[in-house]
PDB file of all heavy atoms in Angstrom:
ATOM      1  N   HIS A  56      -8.139  11.696   0.246  1.00 97.00           N
ATOM      2  CA  HIS A  56      -7.837  10.243   0.880  1.00 97.00           C
ATOM      3  C   HIS A  56      -9.120   9.939   1.585  1.00 97.00           C
ATOM      4  O   HIS A  56      -9.688  10.702   2.298  1.00 97.00           O
ATOM      5  CB  HIS A  56      -6.669  10.140   1.660  1.00 97.00           C
ATOM      6  CG  HIS A  56      -6.263   8.782   1.786  1.00 97.00           C
ATOM      7  ND1 HIS A  56      -6.800   7.896   2.792  1.00 97.00           N
ATOM      8  CD2 HIS A  56      -5.297   8.047   1.151  1.00 97.00           C
ATOM      9  CE1 HIS A  56      -6.225   6.685   2.705  1.00 97.00           C
ATOM     10  NE2 HIS A  56      -5.315   6.776   1.699  1.00 97.00           N
ATOM     11  N   THR A  57      -9.633   8.665   1.536  1.00 97.00           N
ATOM     12  CA  THR A  57     -10.876   8.261   2.193  1.00 97.00           C
ATOM     13  C   THR A  57     -10.611   8.038   3.728  1.00 97.00           C
ATOM     14  O   THR A  57     -11.647   8.014   4.367  1.00 97.00           O
ATOM     15  CB  THR A  57     -11.314   6.866   1.608  1.00 97.00           C
ATOM     16  OG1 THR A  57     -10.222   5.905   1.680  1.00 97.00           O
ATOM     17  CG2 THR A  57     -11.753   7.089   0.116  1.00 97.00           C
ATOM     18  N   CYS A  58      -9.535   7.803   4.189  1.00 97.00           N
ATOM     19  CA  CYS A  58      -9.244   7.742   5.695  1.00 97.00           C
ATOM     20  C   CYS A  58      -9.021   9.158   6.116  1.00 97.00           C
ATOM     21  O   CYS A  58      -8.093   9.804   5.953  1.00 97.00           O
ATOM     22  CB  CYS A  58      -8.022   6.884   5.850  1.00 97.00           C
ATOM     23  SG  CYS A  58      -7.668   6.708   7.695  1.00 97.00           S
ATOM     24  N   ARG A  59     -10.073   9.582   6.777  1.00 97.00           N
ATOM     25  CA  ARG A  59     -10.098  11.025   7.297  1.00 97.00           C
ATOM     26  C   ARG A  59      -9.002  11.274   8.342  1.00 97.00           C
ATOM     27  O   ARG A  59      -8.365  12.387   8.169  1.00 97.00           O
ATOM     28  CB  ARG A  59     -11.426  11.507   7.914  1.00 97.00           C
ATOM     29  CG  ARG A  59     -12.605  11.438   6.906  1.00 97.00           C
ATOM     30  CD  ARG A  59     -12.482  12.232   5.642  1.00 97.00           C
ATOM     31  NE  ARG A  59     -11.719  13.459   5.568  1.00 97.00           N
ATOM     32  CZ  ARG A  59     -11.094  13.932   4.550  1.00 97.00           C
ATOM     33  NH1 ARG A  59     -11.051  13.279   3.429  1.00 97.00           N
ATOM     34  NH2 ARG A  59     -10.573  15.154   4.630  1.00 97.00           N
ATOM     35  N   SER A  60      -8.711  10.441   9.240  1.00 97.00           N
ATOM     36  CA  SER A  60      -7.619  10.627  10.252  1.00 97.00           C
ATOM     37  C   SER A  60      -6.232  10.778   9.542  1.00 97.00           C
ATOM     38  O   SER A  60      -5.456  11.572   9.980  1.00 97.00           O
ATOM     39  CB  SER A  60      -7.651   9.649  11.378  1.00 97.00           C
ATOM     40  OG  SER A  60      -7.444   8.396  10.827  1.00 97.00           O
ATOM     41  N   LEU A  61      -5.936  10.006   8.570  1.00 98.00           N
ATOM     42  CA  LEU A  61      -4.776  10.074   7.784  1.00 98.00           C
ATOM     43  C   LEU A  61      -4.761  11.336   7.016  1.00 98.00           C
ATOM     44  O   LEU A  61      -3.693  12.146   7.020  1.00 98.00           O
ATOM     45  CB  LEU A  61      -4.678   8.880   6.876  1.00 98.00           C
ATOM     46  CG  LEU A  61      -3.353   8.832   5.993  1.00 98.00           C
ATOM     47  CD1 LEU A  61      -2.177   8.852   6.821  1.00 98.00           C
ATOM     48  CD2 LEU A  61      -3.411   7.613   5.130  1.00 98.00           C
ATOM     49  N   GLN A  62      -5.759  11.757   6.460  1.00 98.00           N
ATOM     50  CA  GLN A  62      -5.849  13.070   5.686  1.00 98.00           C
ATOM     51  C   GLN A  62      -5.645  14.213   6.656  1.00 98.00           C
ATOM     52  O   GLN A  62      -4.860  15.160   6.268  1.00 98.00           O
ATOM     53  CB  GLN A  62      -7.207  13.234   4.962  1.00 98.00           C
ATOM     54  CG  GLN A  62      -7.249  14.456   4.083  1.00 98.00           C
ATOM     55  CD  GLN A  62      -6.310  14.353   2.859  1.00 98.00           C
ATOM     56  OE1 GLN A  62      -6.366  13.450   2.040  1.00 98.00           O
ATOM     57  NE2 GLN A  62      -5.380  15.261   2.718  1.00 98.00           N
ATOM     58  N   ASP A  63      -6.199  14.149   7.819  1.00 97.00           N
ATOM     59  CA  ASP A  63      -6.053  15.187   8.833  1.00 97.00           C
ATOM     60  C   ASP A  63      -4.544  15.276   9.301  1.00 97.00           C
ATOM     61  O   ASP A  63      -4.038  16.327   9.440  1.00 97.00           O
ATOM     62  CB  ASP A  63      -6.875  14.981  10.052  1.00 97.00           C
ATOM     63  CG  ASP A  63      -8.366  15.226   9.762  1.00 97.00           C
ATOM     64  OD1 ASP A  63      -8.670  15.775   8.718  1.00 97.00           O
ATOM     65  OD2 ASP A  63      -9.201  14.686  10.515  1.00 97.00           O
ATOM     66  N   ALA A  64      -3.894  14.209   9.475  1.00 97.00           N
ATOM     67  CA  ALA A  64      -2.551  14.139   9.904  1.00 97.00           C
ATOM     68  C   ALA A  64      -1.696  14.802   8.717  1.00 97.00           C
ATOM     69  O   ALA A  64      -0.723  15.543   9.025  1.00 97.00           O
ATOM     70  CB  ALA A  64      -2.015  12.731  10.221  1.00 97.00           C
ATOM     71  N   TRP A  65      -2.027  14.416   7.494  1.00 98.00           N
ATOM     72  CA  TRP A  65      -1.210  14.957   6.341  1.00 98.00           C
ATOM     73  C   TRP A  65      -1.449  16.529   6.292  1.00 98.00           C
ATOM     74  O   TRP A  65      -0.553  17.236   6.128  1.00 98.00           O
ATOM     75  CB  TRP A  65      -1.760  14.439   5.052  1.00 98.00           C
ATOM     76  CG  TRP A  65      -1.168  14.879   3.792  1.00 98.00           C
ATOM     77  CD1 TRP A  65      -1.494  15.974   3.062  1.00 98.00           C
ATOM     78  CD2 TRP A  65      -0.040  14.430   3.038  1.00 98.00           C
ATOM     79  NE1 TRP A  65      -0.862  16.283   2.049  1.00 98.00           N
ATOM     80  CE2 TRP A  65       0.207  15.250   1.948  1.00 98.00           C
ATOM     81  CE3 TRP A  65       0.721  13.356   3.207  1.00 98.00           C
ATOM     82  CZ2 TRP A  65       1.133  15.018   1.089  1.00 98.00           C
ATOM     83  CZ3 TRP A  65       1.732  13.142   2.268  1.00 98.00           C
ATOM     84  CH2 TRP A  65       1.909  13.943   1.175  1.00 98.00           C
ATOM     85  N   ASN A  66      -2.621  16.933   6.430  1.00 97.00           N
ATOM     86  CA  ASN A  66      -3.040  18.414   6.414  1.00 97.00           C
ATOM     87  C   ASN A  66      -2.242  19.168   7.615  1.00 97.00           C
ATOM     88  O   ASN A  66      -1.808  20.260   7.354  1.00 97.00           O
ATOM     89  CB  ASN A  66      -4.456  18.647   6.569  1.00 97.00           C
ATOM     90  CG  ASN A  66      -5.128  18.123   5.281  1.00 97.00           C
ATOM     91  OD1 ASN A  66      -4.701  17.790   4.261  1.00 97.00           O
ATOM     92  ND2 ASN A  66      -6.538  17.964   5.482  1.00 97.00           N
ATOM     93  N   THR A  67      -2.147  18.507   8.783  1.00 97.00           N
ATOM     94  CA  THR A  67      -1.563  19.133   9.881  1.00 97.00           C
ATOM     95  C   THR A  67       0.016  19.086   9.784  1.00 97.00           C
ATOM     96  O   THR A  67       0.669  20.201  10.042  1.00 97.00           O
ATOM     97  CB  THR A  67      -1.980  18.501  11.158  1.00 97.00           C
ATOM     98  OG1 THR A  67      -3.358  18.463  11.237  1.00 97.00           O
ATOM     99  CG2 THR A  67      -1.330  19.149  12.450  1.00 97.00           C
ATOM    100  N   HIS A  68       0.537  18.006   9.444  1.00 97.00           N
ATOM    101  CA  HIS A  68       1.992  17.779   9.527  1.00 97.00           C
ATOM    102  C   HIS A  68       2.723  17.762   8.228  1.00 97.00           C
ATOM    103  O   HIS A  68       3.980  17.778   8.092  1.00 97.00           O
ATOM    104  CB  HIS A  68       2.314  16.535  10.305  1.00 97.00           C
ATOM    105  CG  HIS A  68       1.782  16.496  11.691  1.00 97.00           C
ATOM    106  ND1 HIS A  68       2.161  17.242  12.732  1.00 97.00           N
ATOM    107  CD2 HIS A  68       0.684  15.711  12.161  1.00 97.00           C
ATOM    108  CE1 HIS A  68       1.330  17.063  13.727  1.00 97.00           C
ATOM    109  NE2 HIS A  68       0.431  16.108  13.468  1.00 97.00           N
ATOM    110  N   GLY A  69       1.950  17.736   7.147  1.00 95.00           N
ATOM    111  CA  GLY A  69       2.518  17.653   5.817  1.00 95.00           C
ATOM    112  C   GLY A  69       3.299  16.374   5.356  1.00 95.00           C
ATOM    113  O   GLY A  69       3.297  15.442   6.267  1.00 95.00           O
ATOM    114  N   GLU A  70       3.693  16.325   4.234  1.00 96.00           N
ATOM    115  CA  GLU A  70       4.395  15.066   3.690  1.00 96.00           C
ATOM    116  C   GLU A  70       5.565  14.710   4.547  1.00 96.00           C
ATOM    117  O   GLU A  70       5.868  13.485   4.787  1.00 96.00           O
ATOM    118  CB  GLU A  70       4.878  15.287   2.179  1.00 96.00           C
ATOM    119  CG  GLU A  70       5.409  14.152   1.611  1.00 96.00           C
ATOM    120  CD  GLU A  70       5.677  14.327   0.085  1.00 96.00           C
ATOM    121  OE1 GLU A  70       5.317  15.336  -0.459  1.00 96.00           O
ATOM    122  OE2 GLU A  70       6.339  13.414  -0.508  1.00 96.00           O
ATOM    123  N   ALA A  71       6.385  15.611   4.955  1.00 96.00           N
ATOM    124  CA  ALA A  71       7.512  15.351   5.771  1.00 96.00           C
ATOM    125  C   ALA A  71       7.191  14.740   7.222  1.00 96.00           C
ATOM    126  O   ALA A  71       8.026  14.008   7.737  1.00 96.00           O
ATOM    127  CB  ALA A  71       8.316  16.558   6.029  1.00 96.00           C
ATOM    128  N   GLY A  72       6.011  14.887   7.583  1.00 97.00           N
ATOM    129  CA  GLY A  72       5.582  14.317   8.871  1.00 97.00           C
ATOM    130  C   GLY A  72       5.136  12.862   8.827  1.00 97.00           C
ATOM    131  O   GLY A  72       4.978  12.281   9.898  1.00 97.00           O
ATOM    132  N   LEU A  73       4.951  12.311   7.638  1.00 98.00           N
ATOM    133  CA  LEU A  73       4.503  10.920   7.414  1.00 98.00           C
ATOM    134  C   LEU A  73       5.672  10.166   6.798  1.00 98.00           C
ATOM    135  O   LEU A  73       6.357  10.565   5.974  1.00 98.00           O
ATOM    136  CB  LEU A  73       3.294  10.891   6.554  1.00 98.00           C
ATOM    137  CG  LEU A  73       2.084  11.633   7.093  1.00 98.00           C
ATOM    138  CD1 LEU A  73       0.941  11.488   6.069  1.00 98.00           C
ATOM    139  CD2 LEU A  73       1.588  11.144   8.550  1.00 98.00           C
ATOM    140  N   THR A  74       5.645   8.859   7.266  1.00 98.00           N
ATOM    141  CA  THR A  74       6.587   7.974   6.688  1.00 98.00           C
ATOM    142  C   THR A  74       5.754   6.622   6.228  1.00 98.00           C
ATOM    143  O   THR A  74       4.785   6.345   6.812  1.00 98.00           O
ATOM    144  CB  THR A  74       7.730   7.497   7.715  1.00 98.00           C
ATOM    145  OG1 THR A  74       7.095   6.854   8.780  1.00 98.00           O
ATOM    146  CG2 THR A  74       8.548   8.694   8.097  1.00 98.00           C
ATOM    147  N   PHE A  75       6.379   6.008   5.201  1.00 98.00           N
ATOM    148  CA  PHE A  75       5.726   4.819   4.605  1.00 98.00           C
ATOM    149  C   PHE A  75       6.780   3.680   4.887  1.00 98.00           C
ATOM    150  O   PHE A  75       7.909   3.783   4.717  1.00 98.00           O
ATOM    151  CB  PHE A  75       5.546   4.985   3.099  1.00 98.00           C
ATOM    152  CG  PHE A  75       4.994   3.771   2.450  1.00 98.00           C
ATOM    153  CD1 PHE A  75       3.609   3.582   2.425  1.00 98.00           C
ATOM    154  CD2 PHE A  75       5.830   2.858   1.928  1.00 98.00           C
ATOM    155  CE1 PHE A  75       3.028   2.388   1.849  1.00 98.00           C
ATOM    156  CE2 PHE A  75       5.255   1.702   1.380  1.00 98.00           C
ATOM    157  CZ  PHE A  75       3.936   1.539   1.226  1.00 98.00           C
ATOM    158  N   GLY A  76       6.174   2.479   5.349  1.00 98.00           N
ATOM    159  CA  GLY A  76       7.007   1.357   5.445  1.00 98.00           C
ATOM    160  C   GLY A  76       6.251   0.072   5.137  1.00 98.00           C
ATOM    161  O   GLY A  76       5.124  -0.018   5.167  1.00 98.00           O
ATOM    162  N   GLU A  77       7.067  -0.913   4.793  1.00 97.00           N
ATOM    163  CA  GLU A  77       6.485  -2.295   4.574  1.00 97.00           C
ATOM    164  C   GLU A  77       6.512  -3.103   5.922  1.00 97.00           C
ATOM    165  O   GLU A  77       7.532  -3.065   6.533  1.00 97.00           O
ATOM    166  CB  GLU A  77       7.270  -3.033   3.535  1.00 97.00           C
ATOM    167  CG  GLU A  77       7.167  -2.404   2.167  1.00 97.00           C
ATOM    168  CD  GLU A  77       7.974  -3.093   1.049  1.00 97.00           C
ATOM    169  OE1 GLU A  77       8.405  -4.288   1.378  1.00 97.00           O
ATOM    170  OE2 GLU A  77       8.034  -2.692   0.023  1.00 97.00           O
ATOM    171  N   CYS A  78       5.372  -3.737   6.229  1.00 97.00           N
ATOM    172  CA  CYS A  78       5.327  -4.554   7.309  1.00 97.00           C
ATOM    173  C   CYS A  78       5.721  -6.021   6.827  1.00 97.00           C
ATOM    174  O   CYS A  78       6.473  -6.706   7.659  1.00 97.00           O
ATOM    175  CB  CYS A  78       3.969  -4.585   7.941  1.00 97.00           C
ATOM    176  SG  CYS A  78       3.414  -3.031   8.629  1.00 97.00           S
ATOM    177  N   GLU A  79       5.151  -6.470   5.811  1.00 96.00           N
ATOM    178  CA  GLU A  79       5.287  -7.789   5.372  1.00 96.00           C
ATOM    179  C   GLU A  79       5.059  -7.884   3.926  1.00 96.00           C
ATOM    180  O   GLU A  79       4.127  -7.321   3.425  1.00 96.00           O
ATOM    181  CB  GLU A  79       4.330  -8.626   6.201  1.00 96.00           C
ATOM    182  CG  GLU A  79       4.385 -10.021   5.951  1.00 96.00           C
ATOM    183  CD  GLU A  79       3.387 -10.883   6.968  1.00 96.00           C
ATOM    184  OE1 GLU A  79       2.749 -10.222   7.849  1.00 96.00           O
ATOM    185  OE2 GLU A  79       3.262 -12.074   6.649  1.00 96.00           O
ATOM    186  N   ARG A  80       5.872  -8.752   3.231  1.00 94.00           N
ATOM    187  CA  ARG A  80       5.736  -9.152   1.825  1.00 94.00           C
ATOM    188  C   ARG A  80       5.161 -10.542   1.783  1.00 94.00           C
ATOM    189  O   ARG A  80       5.707 -11.290   2.543  1.00 94.00           O
ATOM    190  CB  ARG A  80       6.962  -9.057   1.098  1.00 94.00           C
ATOM    191  CG  ARG A  80       7.450  -7.532   0.833  1.00 94.00           C
ATOM    192  CD  ARG A  80       8.716  -7.520   0.082  1.00 94.00           C
ATOM    193  NE  ARG A  80       8.956  -6.150  -0.516  1.00 94.00           N
ATOM    194  CZ  ARG A  80       8.888  -5.947  -1.775  1.00 94.00           C
ATOM    195  NH1 ARG A  80       8.871  -6.866  -2.678  1.00 94.00           N
ATOM    196  NH2 ARG A  80       9.074  -4.627  -2.054  1.00 94.00           N
ATOM    197  N   LEU A  81       4.215 -10.802   0.925  1.00 91.00           N
ATOM    198  CA  LEU A  81       3.639 -12.218   0.899  1.00 91.00           C
ATOM    199  C   LEU A  81       4.179 -12.930  -0.192  1.00 91.00           C
ATOM    200  O   LEU A  81       4.685 -12.336  -1.297  1.00 91.00           O
ATOM    201  CB  LEU A  81       2.144 -12.086   0.666  1.00 91.00           C
ATOM    202  CG  LEU A  81       1.311 -11.413   1.668  1.00 91.00           C
ATOM    203  CD1 LEU A  81      -0.186 -11.521   1.366  1.00 91.00           C
ATOM    204  CD2 LEU A  81       1.518 -11.988   3.068  1.00 91.00           C
ATOM    205  N   GLU A  82       4.387 -14.147   0.044  1.00 82.00           N
ATOM    206  CA  GLU A  82       4.967 -15.099  -0.983  1.00 82.00           C
ATOM    207  C   GLU A  82       3.884 -15.152  -2.201  1.00 82.00           C
ATOM    208  O   GLU A  82       2.703 -14.870  -2.032  1.00 82.00           O
ATOM    209  CB  GLU A  82       5.005 -16.597  -0.476  1.00 82.00           C
ATOM    210  CG  GLU A  82       6.012 -16.629   0.691  1.00 82.00           C
ATOM    211  CD  GLU A  82       7.432 -16.328   0.170  1.00 82.00           C
ATOM    212  OE1 GLU A  82       7.870 -16.794  -0.953  1.00 82.00           O
ATOM    213  OE2 GLU A  82       8.165 -15.717   0.996  1.00 82.00           O
ATOM    214  N   ASP A  83       4.471 -15.377  -3.315  1.00 79.00           N
ATOM    215  CA  ASP A  83       3.602 -15.479  -4.521  1.00 79.00           C
ATOM    216  C   ASP A  83       2.543 -16.601  -4.390  1.00 79.00           C
ATOM    217  O   ASP A  83       2.974 -17.748  -4.260  1.00 79.00           O
ATOM    218  CB  ASP A  83       4.481 -15.692  -5.784  1.00 79.00           C
ATOM    219  CG  ASP A  83       3.790 -15.288  -7.101  1.00 79.00           C
ATOM    220  OD1 ASP A  83       2.830 -14.589  -6.988  1.00 79.00           O
ATOM    221  OD2 ASP A  83       4.248 -15.760  -8.088  1.00 79.00           O
ATOM    222  N   GLU A  84       1.304 -16.248  -4.393  1.00 72.00           N
ATOM    223  CA  GLU A  84       0.282 -17.135  -4.272  1.00 72.00           C
ATOM    224  C   GLU A  84      -0.320 -17.635  -5.645  1.00 72.00           C
ATOM    225  O   GLU A  84      -0.319 -16.855  -6.606  1.00 72.00           O
ATOM    226  CB  GLU A  84      -0.878 -16.699  -3.376  1.00 72.00           C
ATOM    227  CG  GLU A  84      -0.580 -16.455  -1.887  1.00 72.00           C
ATOM    228  CD  GLU A  84      -0.122 -17.760  -1.221  1.00 72.00           C
ATOM    229  OE1 GLU A  84      -0.616 -18.728  -1.585  1.00 72.00           O
ATOM    230  OE2 GLU A  84       0.691 -17.585  -0.228  1.00 72.00           O
ATOM    231  N   GLU A  85      -0.742 -18.744  -5.629  1.00 73.00           N
ATOM    232  CA  GLU A  85      -1.300 -19.381  -6.922  1.00 73.00           C
ATOM    233  C   GLU A  85      -2.526 -18.714  -7.346  1.00 73.00           C
ATOM    234  O   GLU A  85      -2.809 -18.378  -8.472  1.00 73.00           O
ATOM    235  CB  GLU A  85      -1.571 -20.951  -6.828  1.00 73.00           C
ATOM    236  CG  GLU A  85      -0.372 -21.683  -6.699  1.00 73.00           C
ATOM    237  CD  GLU A  85       0.549 -21.602  -7.814  1.00 73.00           C
ATOM    238  OE1 GLU A  85       0.009 -21.682  -9.026  1.00 73.00           O
ATOM    239  OE2 GLU A  85       1.738 -21.462  -7.669  1.00 73.00           O
ATOM    240  N   THR A  86      -3.486 -18.416  -6.404  1.00 85.00           N
ATOM    241  CA  THR A  86      -4.813 -17.811  -6.731  1.00 85.00           C
ATOM    242  C   THR A  86      -5.013 -16.465  -6.092  1.00 85.00           C
ATOM    243  O   THR A  86      -4.496 -16.298  -4.930  1.00 85.00           O
ATOM    244  CB  THR A  86      -5.920 -18.746  -6.417  1.00 85.00           C
ATOM    245  OG1 THR A  86      -6.007 -18.909  -4.980  1.00 85.00           O
ATOM    246  CG2 THR A  86      -5.716 -20.165  -7.040  1.00 85.00           C
ATOM    247  N   ALA A  87      -5.729 -15.652  -6.707  1.00 85.00           N
ATOM    248  CA  ALA A  87      -6.160 -14.397  -6.069  1.00 85.00           C
ATOM    249  C   ALA A  87      -6.891 -14.577  -4.805  1.00 85.00           C
ATOM    250  O   ALA A  87      -6.780 -13.879  -3.804  1.00 85.00           O
ATOM    251  CB  ALA A  87      -6.907 -13.614  -7.079  1.00 85.00           C
ATOM    252  N   TYR A  88      -7.800 -15.552  -4.668  1.00 90.00           N
ATOM    253  CA  TYR A  88      -8.564 -15.907  -3.551  1.00 90.00           C
ATOM    254  C   TYR A  88      -7.628 -16.145  -2.292  1.00 90.00           C
ATOM    255  O   TYR A  88      -7.895 -15.567  -1.282  1.00 90.00           O
ATOM    256  CB  TYR A  88      -9.542 -17.042  -3.812  1.00 90.00           C
ATOM    257  CG  TYR A  88     -10.290 -17.417  -2.575  1.00 90.00           C
ATOM    258  CD1 TYR A  88     -11.446 -16.709  -2.231  1.00 90.00           C
ATOM    259  CD2 TYR A  88      -9.860 -18.585  -1.779  1.00 90.00           C
ATOM    260  CE1 TYR A  88     -12.181 -16.956  -1.089  1.00 90.00           C
ATOM    261  CE2 TYR A  88     -10.689 -18.831  -0.618  1.00 90.00           C
ATOM    262  CZ  TYR A  88     -11.731 -18.087  -0.351  1.00 90.00           C
ATOM    263  OH  TYR A  88     -12.518 -18.424   0.832  1.00 90.00           O
ATOM    264  N   VAL A  89      -6.738 -17.019  -2.522  1.00 90.00           N
ATOM    265  CA  VAL A  89      -5.697 -17.323  -1.422  1.00 90.00           C
ATOM    266  C   VAL A  89      -4.924 -16.085  -0.998  1.00 90.00           C
ATOM    267  O   VAL A  89      -4.849 -15.774   0.119  1.00 90.00           O
ATOM    268  CB  VAL A  89      -4.799 -18.446  -1.783  1.00 90.00           C
ATOM    269  CG1 VAL A  89      -3.734 -18.695  -0.755  1.00 90.00           C
ATOM    270  CG2 VAL A  89      -5.610 -19.741  -2.039  1.00 90.00           C
ATOM    271  N   ARG A  90      -4.578 -15.443  -1.983  1.00 90.00           N
ATOM    272  CA  ARG A  90      -3.773 -14.110  -1.694  1.00 90.00           C
ATOM    273  C   ARG A  90      -4.584 -13.151  -0.896  1.00 90.00           C
ATOM    274  O   ARG A  90      -4.126 -12.588   0.062  1.00 90.00           O
ATOM    275  CB  ARG A  90      -3.257 -13.488  -3.012  1.00 90.00           C
ATOM    276  CG  ARG A  90      -2.377 -12.293  -2.637  1.00 90.00           C
ATOM    277  CD  ARG A  90      -2.072 -11.391  -3.922  1.00 90.00           C
ATOM    278  NE  ARG A  90      -3.385 -10.807  -4.313  1.00 90.00           N
ATOM    279  CZ  ARG A  90      -3.762 -10.559  -5.533  1.00 90.00           C
ATOM    280  NH1 ARG A  90      -2.968 -10.881  -6.542  1.00 90.00           N
ATOM    281  NH2 ARG A  90      -4.915  -9.998  -5.826  1.00 90.00           N
ATOM    282  N   ASN A  91      -5.824 -12.889  -1.339  1.00 91.00           N
ATOM    283  CA  ASN A  91      -6.735 -12.036  -0.703  1.00 91.00           C
ATOM    284  C   ASN A  91      -7.058 -12.441   0.801  1.00 91.00           C
ATOM    285  O   ASN A  91      -7.063 -11.621   1.639  1.00 91.00           O
ATOM    286  CB  ASN A  91      -7.922 -11.798  -1.467  1.00 91.00           C
ATOM    287  CG  ASN A  91      -7.634 -10.967  -2.740  1.00 91.00           C
ATOM    288  OD1 ASN A  91      -6.586 -10.341  -2.894  1.00 91.00           O
ATOM    289  ND2 ASN A  91      -8.561 -11.055  -3.700  1.00 91.00           N
ATOM    290  N   ALA A  92      -7.319 -13.701   0.926  1.00 93.00           N
ATOM    291  CA  ALA A  92      -7.611 -14.233   2.321  1.00 93.00           C
ATOM    292  C   ALA A  92      -6.362 -14.003   3.204  1.00 93.00           C
ATOM    293  O   ALA A  92      -6.509 -13.624   4.376  1.00 93.00           O
ATOM    294  CB  ALA A  92      -7.990 -15.674   2.178  1.00 93.00           C
ATOM    295  N   LEU A  93      -5.241 -14.301   2.665  1.00 93.00           N
ATOM    296  CA  LEU A  93      -3.967 -14.126   3.497  1.00 93.00           C
ATOM    297  C   LEU A  93      -3.697 -12.667   3.782  1.00 93.00           C
ATOM    298  O   LEU A  93      -3.283 -12.388   4.859  1.00 93.00           O
ATOM    299  CB  LEU A  93      -2.861 -14.737   2.653  1.00 93.00           C
ATOM    300  CG  LEU A  93      -1.428 -14.922   3.419  1.00 93.00           C
ATOM    301  CD1 LEU A  93      -1.695 -15.723   4.792  1.00 93.00           C
ATOM    302  CD2 LEU A  93      -0.494 -15.689   2.481  1.00 93.00           C
TER     303      LEU A  93
END
Side-chain angles (χ1 to χ4, degrees):
H56 199 280
T57 56
C58 179
R59 293 314 318 155
S60 60
L61 178 56
Q62 185 68 59
D63 291 343
W65 176 276
N66 295 344
T67 303
H68 305 290
E70 183 173 353
L73 299 179
T74 59
F75 177 89
E77 292 180 9
C78 295
E79 180 175 357
R80 288 177 164 246
L81 299 182
E82 296 296 320
D83 198 19
E84 293 297 331
E85 292 296 318
T86 66
Y88 177 79
V89 172
R90 183 193 68 215
N91 292 339
L93 193 53

